[in-house]
Structures are given as C-alpha cells and as structure tokens.
C-alpha cells in the first residue's frame, strides 16, 4: 500500500495543496473542482441522514427529538423529505445508490449514523434537518413594591427565523475527522494489500491530511451548490454556509453537509416544510446540486 499511496500522493499533492481551510465563513463562493483530478472516481453511494427521531431503544448514546412547530415535529419532516430524496436520487441520478440512516420513527444514535455512512463506503453524506430559534429573554413587569415597578425575566418564543442554512464540519473537531478517515479510507486501502494500519506512519499521516483537505473542499462545494439552488431557483431566504462542530459530519469520512431546510417554529416555513410542494422543491434542489457536484468530482482530466 505504501508505494501505491506515495505514488498517488506525489501525483496529486500539488493540486491538493490548493485546498484551503476556513475557521468561519458565510455564503462561501462555490469552490470549483477544476484543479482536483479524480481519475476513475465515480459517485456511487450517497448517505441520507434524516435528523433526530422519536423513541430510542436505550438511554446510551446521543439522541434528540429535535425541534417542533405549532403542529409538526422536525423528526417527521426530515424523515418524509429523506424518503423523497432517496427515491429521487435513485430515479434521477444514474448508477447512484441512496442509503438512509433512519427509516422509522425510532431515533438512531449520532455515532451510529456516522458508522452507517462509513460502513457503506459513502461518497457523500447529506443530513436533513429543520431549524428553530431559541426563546427570547425579555423583562416583564409583574407588579410594584414600595411604589416601584417589579420586573422578572421571562422566556417567550421567537418566530423570526426563516430560510435555509448549510453546515459543514468545524475545524476544532478536525482530530475526530482524522480518526474517521484513518479507520475508513486508509484502513480500506491497507486491507487491499493485507497490510496493517499504523496510524503513526508518516505516509498514513500525510494521506489523512490530504483526504481531510479534499473532503473539506468538497463539503464546502456541495453546501454552496445546494444553497445556490434554494436561493436562485426556489427563491428561498438563505442564512449562509457556516461551520459547526456537528458529530455526524466530523465522524463521517467523506464530503458531508447538514441542510437546515427551514425554521419549523416559523409559521410560514412550517407550512412550507409540511407541504408536498415544499418538500418536493427541497428534494429537487438537492438533486440538481448533486448532479452538478457529480459532474465536477467525476472529471478525469485536469482543466
């Protein structure tokens, strides 16, 4: 594996060094893939991760019921969109398989979601969520004392959030991404040559860093492509593309993005997210972005 890896690394290193790292960004310009050669690469497997869930089998692990609106729950909306997205990908994106991390109301531990993605050798991870605003803190007059007003701080719902938001994994958790890459991408190559993974081997360290740079660049790219489809085609308001230390993104050894499809606690967004029209538009936008992304990463010659 070492000679093969080194040869591949030398050929691709110059191009890969053009990758960049950002600590925080919004509405990042779409990152073109024309300097990154992916000889022979084919987008074969996309992991769809419907966020949150209902009941879970045990108390161990990380679980969350997610946000709620006036009449609907994030876990139900994300599952409905997830099924539609799976069907659309397998119908419209030739030779690509879509695998769901959750197909029932039962919640799935965050780490298990990443494990499903890695075990199925995913090429792209898309996590579907709904957003919500935290309550606002306001001071409210509750009476008087000694002829002076008495106030207390209370929480009230904030329904002002609207639109979409794209998240990619945060650099503060990059060591977790390193571990996922070493035990998925690098370990798979070792198995091909009956070698044993040495996480401290210089070649392993170099390859891990290059994979991480490439995946980060591609994560930003797919996030921007999806965001652009929402804004330019559907006319949705966008809150940008930002980084966040999301476990499922950091632990998935592949390009990954978390798509906040709208604010479920905003009445207009909630109605859109629960409608057939809204869900179909969301799915269509993501599929269009996937097709553009595939065209870019499957380029076989450097431009």
């Amino acid at each position: 594996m070492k000679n093969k890896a080194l040869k591949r690394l030398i050929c691709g290193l110059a191009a890969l060094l053009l990758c960049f790292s950002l600590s925080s960004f919004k509405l990042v310009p779409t990152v073109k893939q024309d300097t990154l050669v992916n000889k022979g690469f084919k987008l074969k497997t996309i992991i769809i991760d419907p966020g949150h869930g209902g009941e879970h089998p045990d108390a161990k692990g990380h679980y969350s019921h997610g946000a709620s609106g006036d009449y609907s729950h994030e876990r139900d909306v994300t599952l409905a969109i997830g099924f539609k997205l799976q069907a659309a990908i397998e119908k419209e994106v030739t030779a690509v398989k879509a695998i769901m991390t959750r197909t029932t109301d039962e919640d799935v531990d965050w780490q298990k979601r990443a494990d499903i993605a890695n075990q199925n050798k995913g090429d792209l991870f898309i996590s579907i969520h709904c957003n919500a605003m935290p309550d606002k803190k306001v001071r409210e007059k509750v009476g008087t004392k000694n002829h002076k007003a008495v106030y207390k701080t209370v929480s009230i719902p904030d329904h002002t959030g609207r639109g979409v938001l794209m998240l990619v994994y945060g650099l503060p958790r990059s060591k977790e991404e390193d571990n996922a890459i070493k035990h998925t991408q690098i370990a798979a190559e070792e198995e091909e040559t009956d070698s044993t993974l040495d996480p401290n081997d210089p070649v392993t360290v170099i390859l891990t860093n290059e994979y991480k740079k490439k995946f980060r660049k591609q994560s930003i790219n797919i996030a921007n492509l999806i965001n652009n489809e929402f804004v330019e085609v559907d006319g949705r308001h966008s809150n940008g593309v930002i980084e966040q230390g999301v476990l499922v993104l950091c632990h998935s050894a592949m390009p990954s993005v978390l798509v906040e499809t709208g604010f479920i606690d905003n009445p207009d967004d909630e109605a859109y997210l629960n409608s057939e029209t809204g869900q179909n538009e969301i799915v269509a936008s993501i599929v269009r972005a996937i097709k553009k992304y595939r065209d870019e990463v499957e380029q076989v010659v450097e431009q």
Side-chain angles (χ1 to χ4, degrees):
M1 175 269 185
K2 303 302 183 190
N3 291 335
K4 177 183 176 182
L6 279 173
K7 182 178 180 181
R8 183 187 62 197
L9 179 62
I10 292 170
C11 294
L13 187 56
L16 288 171
L17 285 175
L18 294 175
C19 300
F20 58 89
S21 63
L22 301 172
S23 59
S24 180
F25 46 90
K26 265 194 173 184
L27 288 175
V28 184
T30 301
V31 181
K32 292 186 177 181
Q33 298 287 331
D34 56 3
T35 58
L36 185 60
V37 180
N38 293 285
K39 280 195 172 181
F41 174 80
K42 294 294 181 183
L43 185 67
K44 297 178 180 178
T45 305
I46 297 175
I47 309 299
I48 301 169
D49 177 46
H52 304 285
E55 298 302 319
H56 49 81
D58 57 65
K60 295 180 180 180
H62 296 89
Y63 302 95
S64 169
H65 290 307
S68 295
D70 285 341
Y71 57 86
S72 63
H73 304 290
E74 178 179 8
R75 61 182 183 270
D76 298 324
V77 172
T78 60
L79 188 60
I81 293 173
F83 277 129
K84 287 183 171 67
L85 181 58
Q86 181 186 41
I89 289 172
E90 296 190 339
K91 178 181 179 181
E92 300 179 36
V93 188
T94 307
V96 171
K97 176 172 61 175
I99 294 174
M100 301 266 282
T101 61
R102 176 171 74 90
T103 57
T104 69
D105 182 60
E106 187 175 284
D107 203 352
V108 177
D109 173 56
W110 298 349
Q111 180 58 52
K112 187 176 180 181
R113 294 170 187 261
D115 291 342
I116 291 170
N118 294 331
Q119 290 164 5
N120 284 279
K121 303 184 186 303
D123 300 308
L124 180 63
F125 183 91
I126 300 176
S127 191
I128 306 296
H129 285 256
C130 300
N131 219 336
M133 292 290 290
D135 288 349
K136 293 189 294 187
K137 302 291 185 181
V138 298
R139 287 177 58 78
E140 183 179 84
K141 183 178 178 180
V142 294
T144 59
K145 185 176 182 180
N146 298 327
H147 306 291
K148 293 182 178 180
V150 177
Y151 294 87
K152 71 173 181 179
T153 301
V154 296
S155 297
I156 62 172
D158 183 353
H159 301 303
T160 60
R162 67 186 182 95
V164 297
L165 172 68
M166 309 299 126
L167 303 179
V168 296
Y169 81 87
L171 288 177
R173 300 187 73 161
S174 61
K175 288 185 178 180
E176 295 170 61
E177 177 77 359
D178 288 350
N179 290 332
I181 291 171
K182 285 178 182 177
H183 292 94
T184 303
Q185 298 287 342
I186 310 299
E189 295 179 7
E190 296 282 7
E191 289 177 4
E192 290 178 2
T193 55
D194 296 322
S195 302
T196 302
L197 174 66
D198 179 2
N200 298 314
D201 185 278
V203 173
T204 300
V205 173
I206 293 171
L207 283 174
T208 299
N209 287 334
E210 295 310 315
Y211 268 121
K212 183 169 64 176
K213 291 176 184 177
K214 182 174 76 170
F215 290 164
R216 181 170 177 78
K217 181 176 181 178
Q218 292 175 339
S219 296
I220 295 170
N221 190 38
I222 185 63
N224 273 288
L225 288 170
I226 295 172
N227 186 70
N228 290 345
E229 292 297 325
F230 283 146
V231 173
E232 295 173 6
V233 179
D234 300 334
R236 305 285 306 280
H237 172 76
S238 173
N239 296 287
V241 177
I242 67 173
E243 73 160 20
Q244 195 170 106
V246 180
L247 186 148
V248 291
L249 301 184
C250 300
H251 290 201
S252 299
M254 63 200 69
S256 56
V257 60
L258 188 151
V259 181
E260 296 280 11
T261 55
F263 282 78
I264 198 169
D265 58 348
N266 175 303
D268 292 335
D269 272 14
E270 182 177 18
Y272 182 82
L273 291 169
N274 282 276
S275 69
E276 283 295 311
T277 298
Q279 292 182 5
N280 288 337
E281 285 184 357
I282 289 167
V283 167
S285 286
I286 295 174
V287 170
R288 286 193 302 272
I290 290 171
K291 290 178 179 178
K292 293 178 180 178
Y293 174 83
R294 181 186 62 177
D295 290 344
E296 293 177 2
V297 298
E298 288 188 358
Q299 292 183 55
V300 296
V301 294
E302 189 172 358
Q303 299 297 314

